[in-house]
Amino acid sequence: MIPLSWYLVVGALLFVIGFYGALSRRNAIAILMSIELMLNAVNINFLAFWRYLTPKEMAGQVFAIIAITVAAAEAAVGLALVIAVYRSRDTVSVDEVDLLKG
Amino acid sequence: MITLDKLYLLSPEFILLIAAFLVLGIDIFGKRRWQKALPYWTIAGLLLSMVASFWLMGHKETVTDTMAADSFAYYFQLIGEMVVVLVTLALVDYLPGRTHQQGEFYALLLFAAIAIMVAVSATDLIMVYLGMEFLSITSYVLVGFLRNDKRANEAAIKYFLYGAVASAVMLYGMSLLYGLTGTTNLAAIAQKLTAGNLVSGYQWLLFPALLFLTVGFGYKSSLVPFHQWAPDVYDGAPTPVSAFLATASKGVGFALLIRVFVTALPAVKIDWVALLYALSVLTMTVGNFVALRQTSVKRMLAYSSVAQAGYIVIGLVAFNGKVPFTAFNGVSGVLFYLLAYAFTNAGAFIVVGAIEEHTGSTQMDDYNGLVKRSPFLAGVFLILLLSLAGVPATGGFMGKFMVFGAALAEQFYILALIAIINSVVAVGYYFKVIKAMFFVPGEGPAIAVAKPTRYALVITLAMTLLLGIFPSWFLHIATTSGLAMVGL
């Protein structure tokens, strides 16, 4: 059987890639995608921990399902906000959204 | 397991839920005359719910494994409900002319209040996450609700992107904590960590988990370095919503910080005390020094509210669960500070909003000679600014007294000294506004304030003074609520 640590390493890598993407990308949609990567890394963690450590209790599984649901709701609101910004200024680049400064 | 006979402990939530759907229903199906009264339906729901929260205070039970019904939770529920009442009053004359979907706005505010109540009662990581996200998602929509307003759009997208990253990081921390202990219940986590009874051998993951959780809660309560969103969002959002974010929403960040760290992580107290110590010093100093050079009063208030978060954290740093019957246990100080701060800061944002409504500007220069143009606004703002600065006989002073007192009781002398120096620096920018309002001559037409806004300001003013002059009853409630958390 594949050891638990492999899953955790994959999760950590995915999380770091997502985090790097969220900080470095300029396109709001790409940032959203990076955030989804981070959330999926968390789900890998939850499911791996659940399967290997407490397979008889449901907490880990339930947490993963709730995280997926919340991520979907968050993405819906996020995309709506991106569309609102796009309609008012014809761009989704976060560099060009810069009215508020100081 | 949930049993029906305990459901009454959730009655504040249920009342607000019914009120929210009622508001939505009236908005869609109601007569025009009823629709005009929507904000008052909202306020009626909130007041009923406040009565329920207040009446249930003193219980110390869990509704299910995931939700507590203790004074600590009800205390924060009351703060949330009161802030939403003030925000609703400020919205009565703000929304018409800006949007046609007023019912949705009020319903969203009520849902945000429910989110606060769920979050502060959570005793399980799943519920903590769910409550925080519920609040975050409703707040994103509230900030960006006026979708033709470019500044509000920008504020919303910034708030969303920061918030989503912060909550993902926090969730990663939760997954690590789950991996260490095999449970998501806060009390069970504490038990396993204290007993060293871990389900996996990755003990070194505990500190990263703590750090990641701090990112999530620190983002909500705008601690430096997770504060970058705050000034832009407070500046761009509809001003009543800024008032909500800077007080009630920030309070949730602190409630969860206290609940999770004190209940689940006493085993690594030394680590989080050191971490919060550093964050507190950073937050106070950065907030105050950046606030000093702001020319917009709204942005100045935004940075001042970041700095205030730094003072509030001191209470948690100086948290002490061992000494019984003392008001200086730290957590109680945080509770009292947040109550005083909620009224004061919400009032300050409402004043700025009222002036912005009339002059279209938040610049300091436009506050020149305000006392001649609107003695009421100038007078209220004076008291609120004095309270923010921590001048005696105001709620802000008592809050600082409680928190700094806790720091001294726990012998954090240097931290208390830094906080006091910071308070002195802060006086500089608060008095800049007072000077402009009262002593710099300025011309302009008189400013008329809408009646509901006037009521909201009178309430904040009265409470700020009441908390400063007759604090004993409120101190008693804050102390008992804090002790309920500390476990005495």
Side-chain angles (χ1 to χ4, degrees), chain A residues 4-5 8 11-12 15 19 22 28 31-32 35 38-39 41-42 45-46 49-50 53-54 57 59-60 62-63 66-67 70 73-74 77-78 81-82 84-85 88-89 94 97-102, chain B residues 125-126 129-130 133 137 140-141 144 147 150-151 153-158 160-161 163-165 167-169 171-172 174-176 178-179 182 184 199-200 202 205 212 232 235-236 293-294 299 303:
Chain A
L4 169 63
S5 54
L8 299 185
F15 184 78
F19 191 64
I31 297 178
L32 258 176
I35 292 166
M38 292 166 77
L39 289 171
V42 173
N45 258 13
F46 271 126
F49 280 133
W50 165 74
L53 302 177
T54 54
E57 286 166 44
V62 170
F63 213 148
I66 285 181
V70 170
E74 205 172 47
V77 170
L81 294 176
V82 172
V85 167
S88 64
R89 16 185 138 192
V94 286
V97 183
D98 57 357
L99 275 178
L100 304 165
K101 274 189 250 182
Chain B
L125 288 181
I126 298 180
Y129 175 67
L130 214 49
E133 282 299 293
I137 291 175
Y140 303 148
V141 182
R147 58 170 189 249
K150 275 190 174 185
R151 290 163 59 85
N153 270 339
E154 177 174 338
I157 193 101
K158 282 183 175 167
F160 170 76
L161 291 175
V165 172
S167 81
V169 172
L171 195 60
Y172 195 75
M174 287 180 176
S175 80
L176 296 182
Y178 169 69
T184 54
V199 287
S200 62
Y202 305 107
L205 284 177
F212 291 160
D232 285 357
D235 194 5
R293 57 176 185 80
Q294 296 300 318
R299 281 192 90 83
Y303 279 108

Side-chain angles (χ1 to χ4, degrees), chain B residues 24-89:
Chain B
L24 273 181
I26 294 172
D27 187 42
I28 299 169
F29 303 111
K31 296 198 181 94
R32 188 138 189 84
R33 193 156 44 87
W34 292 4
Q35 286 171 349
K36 279 227 158 104
L38 275 177
Y40 301 104
W41 289 98
T42 311
I43 291 172
L46 286 162
L47 290 180
L48 261 181
S49 165
M50 273 173 75
V51 171
S53 294
F54 189 73
W55 174 61
L56 288 167
M57 250 187 171
H59 280 266
K60 188 157 177 52
E61 303 177 50
T62 50
V63 185
T64 67
D65 287 344
T66 56
M67 280 182 97
D70 53 13
S71 301
F72 180 81
Y74 290 126
Y75 187 90
F76 274 101
Q77 292 188 358
L78 281 169
I79 293 184
E81 287 151 349
M82 281 186 289
V83 168
V84 178
V85 168
L86 297 173
V87 170
T88 312
L89 281 173

Side-chain angles (χ1 to χ4, degrees), chain B residues 211-228:
Chain B
L211 207 60
F212 291 160
L213 285 176
T214 316
V215 172
F217 303 143
Y219 151 79
K220 260 267 164 283
S221 38
S222 71
L223 300 179
V224 176
F226 320 115
H227 72 293
Q228 284 102 335

Side-chain angles (χ1 to χ4, degrees), chain B residues 42-338:
Chain B
T42 311
I43 291 172
L46 286 162
L47 290 180
L48 261 181
S49 165
M50 273 173 75
V51 171
S53 294
F54 189 73
W55 174 61
L56 288 167
M57 250 187 171
H59 280 266
K60 188 157 177 52
E61 303 177 50
T62 50
V63 185
T64 67
D65 287 344
T66 56
M67 280 182 97
D70 53 13
S71 301
F72 180 81
Y74 290 126
Y75 187 90
F76 274 101
Q77 292 188 358
L78 281 169
I79 293 184
E81 287 151 349
M82 281 186 289
V83 168
V84 178
V85 168
L86 297 173
V87 170
T88 312
L89 281 173
L91 279 169
V92 174
D93 280 271
Y94 182 91
L95 279 186
R98 285 192 166 83
T99 176
H100 295 296
Q101 287 112 350
Q102 294 182 43
E104 286 171 35
F105 204 103
Y106 292 119
L108 272 170
L109 261 183
L110 286 174
F111 282 125
I114 299 170
I116 289 177
M117 302 164 101
V118 172
V120 297
S121 332
T123 58
D124 190 292
L125 288 181
I126 298 180
M127 215 59 190
V128 169
Y129 175 67
L130 214 49
M132 280 232 346
E133 282 299 293
F134 186 7
L135 177 60
S136 292
I137 291 175
T138 40
S139 309
Y140 303 148
V141 182
L142 280 174
V143 171
F145 197 87
L146 307 173
R147 58 170 189 249
N148 296 322
D149 180 345
K150 275 190 174 185
R151 290 163 59 85
N153 270 339
E154 177 174 338
I157 193 101
K158 282 183 175 167
Y159 192 28
F160 170 76
L161 291 175
Y162 274 117
V165 172
S167 81
V169 172
M170 178 186 74
L171 195 60
Y172 195 75
M174 287 180 176
S175 80
L176 296 182
L177 209 51
Y178 169 69
L180 279 170
T181 55
T183 171
T184 54
N185 188 287
L186 296 183
I189 289 174
Q191 212 178 8
K192 296 220 167 164
L193 286 178
T194 319
N197 179 20
L198 301 180
V199 287
S200 62
Y202 305 107
Q203 198 154 8
W204 56 274
L205 284 177
L206 192 52
F207 189 69
L210 176 67
L211 207 60
F212 291 160
L213 285 176
T214 316
V215 172
F217 303 143
Y219 151 79
K220 260 267 164 283
S221 38
S222 71
L223 300 179
V224 176
F226 320 115
H227 72 293
Q228 284 102 335
W229 61 275
D232 285 357
V233 172
Y234 295 169
D235 194 5
T239 311
V241 176
S242 311
F244 172 79
L245 292 179
T247 53
S249 171
K250 181 178 285 207
V252 172
F254 285 111
L256 289 176
L257 206 57
I258 294 171
R259 173 87 75 184
V260 173
F261 283 9
V262 171
T263 343
L265 303 167
V268 285
K269 187 182 166 200
I270 188 84
D271 288 326
W272 57 255
V273 164
L275 188 63
L276 292 178
Y277 192 121
L279 288 182
S280 161
V281 172
L282 260 179
T283 308
M284 288 187 284
T285 316
V286 171
N288 277 325
F289 280 91
V290 182
L292 269 179
R293 57 176 185 80
Q294 296 300 318
T295 53
S296 152
V297 177
K298 206 172 171 187
R299 281 192 90 83
M300 184 214 85
L301 273 185
Y303 279 108
S304 113
S305 91
V306 171
Q308 301 274 348
Y311 304 138
I312 301 174
V313 178
I314 295 175
L316 188 51
V317 172
F319 151 71
N320 184 349
K322 292 189 295 287
V323 187
F325 312 119
T326 168
F328 289 121
N329 62 50
V331 171
S332 299
V334 171
L335 296 193
F336 188 84
Y337 200 122
L338 277 170

